[in-house]
Amino acid sequence: MATKTQLVRSKRQARIEQAVASPHYKWTVLVNATLGVLMATINSSIMLIALPDIFRGIQVDPLTPGNTSMLLWLVMGYMVVTAVLVVTFGRLGDMYGRVKMYNAGFAIFTVFSVLLSLTWLSGTAGVLWLIIMRVLQGVGGAMLMANSTAIITDVFAVEQRGLALGLNQVAGIAGSFLGLIIGGLLGPLDWRLVFLVSVPVGLAGTVWAYLSLHDTGIRQPAKLDWWGNATFAVGLIAVLVGITYGIQPYDGNTMGWTNPWVLAALIGGAAVLVVFCWVEMRSDEPMFHLALFRIRAFTAGNLASLMSGIGRGGLMFILIIWLQGIWLPQHGYSFETTPLWAGIYMLPLTAGFLIAGPVSGWLSDHHGARLLATLGMVVAAASFLWLLVLPVNFTYLPFSLALLVNGLGMGLFAAPNRAGIMNALPPNRRGVGAGMSTTFQNSAMVLSIGIFFSLMITGLARTLPQTLSSGLTAHGVAAADAAKIAQLPPVSVLFSSLLGYNPVQTLLGPKVLSALPAKDSAFLTGRSFFPSLISGPFAEGLAVAFAFAIAACLVAAFASALRGGKYEYKEHPASPSK
């Protein structure tokens, strides 16, 4: 019996070796891994545009003060869980096989996509169900993102790795913008389609990955670092939760940064992360290999990735609010249709990624990552400066060109930077190294949202209350009602714009509007009043946010320039070129 079993295993191993030896195998890996990452990143943003349809479907008003936190968790829960778990799943991939973890991620992601689309609850229970299912869907997404780049690195030689990782990386970044359009198209048809659209892709990808992908990387048998996993998860979750609640109003303040619970989460989370570093330095088999930071190319690349992610992450929200709340209504679009059109008008950004990413990845194979990645961040900073000097009610051509340049700059940076990071890793640490890199990238998204929203709210808070009060009273709204609206936190205005609601209609409510003359009511809820009203305060917030993005990109450029020359890890490497 043992002989027969050994024969079956021998034949199976021979088939695997034959498949892996095929010149087409590496391209099969690239296409499947890119499909997985694309699906995961599309789902990180697909709900942003479809949120109004989702909340209508489950009969919840997201702008009710008590529901604001649920709105944020529905948007950010997926990002938080992927940021926290990618290192753990990358480490497990190194230990037990990256393809196994990747295949499991595809299957888990698909199962919870189905459960999201089958939601039968409504009200608060419905939102809680969606949040929990999104978090669990994020577990599958973390498995995909943690292992896809390591699998690609395993099968591509260093002279082709930049192109391969560039295609994968750009597809991932472009996915976050494509999700806006897909969500905008499917949401009005049926909000369940926003989740159901991933199911056929997930099923096909799961079966295809199981049948065609094979582990070719070096495994590193080890025990799981339970203390490291626990302290990392607790610390990072606490920090990200603190950021999430910090942008919400608290005790009459426009934001919650003075909330004792927020301060406790941020300070306590940071303290636990310090403990995590202490645990990892003393662990024989750490989860987070701090020794990898001794590799200059790895450290500089991740710092550059973190800062570029902070500069890019909040951009999506700022552009959506700018387009939906101001520009599109002023150019003839109803508030209800602005979510979809905002995604369409942002397409030049995606086009820039798709053009620059593969080209820069191919060039980095021959010339290294430093020049291309550094130049990419400088170009991105210039594009933010271009956006900064545009008027709030801009002409679309220069706006679209600025978005295109931003996409080109980010695409020019992303592929070489990712290839530079992965080339610097020892073969037996590619899973955990990729997970560490993805943690920086995903954490940057949440951190960026907190920073950009805080900067925007700070800018709006200075002038928005007076502007709102005077504008409303000038058109017949009672002083008491206008003052009440003016005292609402600016985050309500931002969320209203983000969700594609008619802001004045939402803020005033039917009771106040019905008491006004029909002419005044129609003017206040029309497409020109609110955008014109907030253009000035919004411009102040926009200037601060874009100035921060410029600074973040320049820091990323400086970090990228410090990475050293072209460097590939070798088992007994000579000193890498400087």
Side-chain angles (χ1 to χ4, degrees):
M1 186 68 175
T3 305
K4 185 177 180 180
T5 302
Q6 290 173 355
L7 183 62
V8 171
R9 287 178 178 174
S10 178
K11 288 182 177 179
R12 183 174 181 273
Q13 185 62 33
R15 287 197 301 270
I16 291 174
E17 290 175 358
Q18 184 180 6
V20 170
S22 168
H24 304 296
Y25 176 72
K26 60 186 176 183
W27 301 108
T28 299
V29 171
L30 176 61
V31 174
N32 190 283
T34 301
L35 180 66
V37 170
L38 185 63
M39 184 178 71
T41 54
I42 283 175
N43 274 270
S44 69
S45 64
I46 195 170
M47 287 203 316
L48 286 178
I49 299 297
L51 277 173
D53 300 296
I54 293 171
F55 279 111
R56 277 193 292 269
I58 57 178
Q59 301 170 18
V60 169
D61 179 4
L63 297 181
T64 300
N67 293 338
T68 305
S69 60
M70 291 192 292
L71 165 63
L72 280 172
W73 274 112
L74 195 55
V75 173
M76 298 176 69
Y78 181 91
M79 300 179 193
V80 169
V81 75
T82 53
V84 169
L85 292 179
V86 284
V87 177
T88 299
F89 289 137
R91 175 71 170 137
L92 290 172
D94 286 340
M95 292 164 57
Y96 302 112
R98 292 157 194 157
V99 168
K100 286 182 180 179
M101 296 301 297
Y102 178 83
N103 292 350
F106 240 136
I108 290 170
F109 193 97
T110 305
V111 167
F112 287 105
S113 296
V114 172
L115 291 175
L116 278 162
S117 66
L118 294 178
T119 305
W120 69 94
L121 300 167
S122 60
T124 301
V127 180
L128 291 175
W129 170 269
L130 290 178
I131 291 171
I132 292 169
M133 293 303 105
R134 278 285 285 177
V135 166
L136 294 173
Q137 186 189 46
V139 173
M143 287 180 165
L144 292 170
M145 288 188 276
N147 291 282
S148 62
T149 52
I151 293 169
I152 293 170
T153 304
D154 285 338
V155 299
F156 277 89
V158 68
E159 61 270 11
Q160 289 185 313
R161 204 172 283 162
L163 174 62
L165 289 172
L167 290 167
N168 181 263
Q169 178 81 350
V170 170
I173 295 174
S176 62
F177 291 97
L178 293 174
L180 301 176
I181 298 173
I182 295 171
L185 289 171
L186 296 180
L189 298 177
D190 189 327
W191 66 270
R192 298 176 190 275
L193 293 175
V194 173
F195 305 114
L196 197 60
V197 68
S198 299
V199 174
V201 178
L203 287 173
T206 301
V207 174
W208 184 26
Y210 179 78
L211 294 176
S212 62
L213 301 188
H214 310 287
D215 270 306
T216 59
I218 298 173
R219 295 190 190 183
Q220 184 73 25
K223 294 180 181 178
L224 194 60
D225 177 16
W226 292 106
W227 280 110
N229 278 273
T231 51
F232 179 74
V234 170
L236 187 56
I237 287 173
V239 171
L240 297 181
V241 167
I243 292 170
T244 302
Y245 283 96
I247 61 177
Q248 298 184 53
Y250 170 73
D251 195 26
N253 297 315
T254 57
M255 287 179 287
W257 298 114
T258 58
N259 184 336
W261 290 106
V262 170
L263 292 173
L266 294 173
I267 297 171
V272 173
L273 288 176
V274 171
V275 173
F276 161 74
C277 293
W278 181 84
V279 168
E280 295 301 272
M281 286 189 292
R282 284 155 179 77
S283 174
D284 294 331
E285 297 173 342
M287 174 196 79
F288 208 95
H289 280 267
L290 299 178
L292 293 177
F293 289 111
R294 295 172 186 164
I295 304 171
R296 189 171 74 173
F298 180 78
T299 302
N302 278 305
L303 177 58
S305 179
L306 176 68
M307 296 309 298
S308 75
I310 289 174
R312 183 187 69 245
L315 172 67
M316 184 189 304
F317 287 87
I318 298 301
L319 292 178
I320 290 172
I321 292 169
W322 191 358
L323 288 168
Q324 291 183 195
I326 298 178
W327 194 83
L328 286 167
Q330 288 183 319
H331 289 79
Y333 295 87
S334 66
F335 287 103
E336 292 76 15
T337 63
T338 56
L340 172 60
W341 284 103
I344 292 172
Y345 275 105
M346 286 167 61
L347 278 176
L349 191 62
T350 305
F353 280 121
L354 296 177
I355 293 168
V359 174
S360 64
W362 179 82
L363 288 172
S364 72
D365 287 332
H366 302 279
H367 305 290
R370 178 164 58 181
L371 178 61
L372 291 163
T374 304
L375 179 61
M377 281 294 94
V378 172
V379 170
S383 70
F384 281 120
L385 180 61
W386 189 347
L387 289 168
L388 177 62
V389 300
L390 288 177
V392 175
N393 189 13
F394 52 80
T395 303
Y396 182 68
L397 180 59
F399 178 79
S400 65
L401 291 175
L403 291 188
L404 178 65
V405 171
N406 186 275
L408 290 170
M410 291 293 183
L412 193 63
F413 165 81
N417 189 66
R418 191 66 162 183
I421 290 171
M422 295 305 295
N423 285 339
L425 291 170
N428 63 333
R429 301 295 185 208
R430 284 171 181 163
V432 69
M436 291 163 69
S437 181
T438 306
T439 292
F440 284 113
Q441 190 170 300
N442 290 2
S443 298
M445 268 295 282
V446 180
L447 182 60
S448 178
I449 291 167
I451 292 171
F452 272 75
F453 263 85
S454 297
L455 293 173
M456 288 298 301
I457 290 168
T458 300
L460 286 170
R462 283 197 293 266
T463 53
L464 183 61
Q466 178 59 37
T467 305
L468 265 176
S469 180
S470 58
L472 292 171
T473 53
H475 290 87
V477 177
D481 291 325
K484 185 178 178 181
I485 298 301
Q487 291 170 4
L488 290 175
V491 71
S492 299
V493 176
L494 293 179
F495 283 158
S496 179
S497 299
L498 179 65
L499 293 170
Y501 293 157
N502 187 313
V504 174
Q505 192 174 61
T506 303
L507 295 173
L508 288 179
K511 184 177 179 180
V512 175
L513 286 172
S514 62
L516 297 176
K519 183 179 179 180
D520 284 325
S521 177
F523 180 77
L524 289 174
T525 58
R527 291 192 293 262
S528 62
F529 172 73
F530 182 79
S532 300
L533 188 72
I534 70 164
S535 288
F538 186 82
E540 289 192 25
L542 205 61
V544 177
F546 282 146
F548 176 82
I550 292 168
C553 289
L554 291 177
V555 172
F558 179 72
S560 186
L562 294 177
R563 75 176 67 237
K566 187 177 180 182
Y567 174 52
E568 175 195 358
Y569 180 89
K570 293 180 174 59
E571 291 297 330
H572 302 286
S575 298
S577 58
K578 305 295 181 186

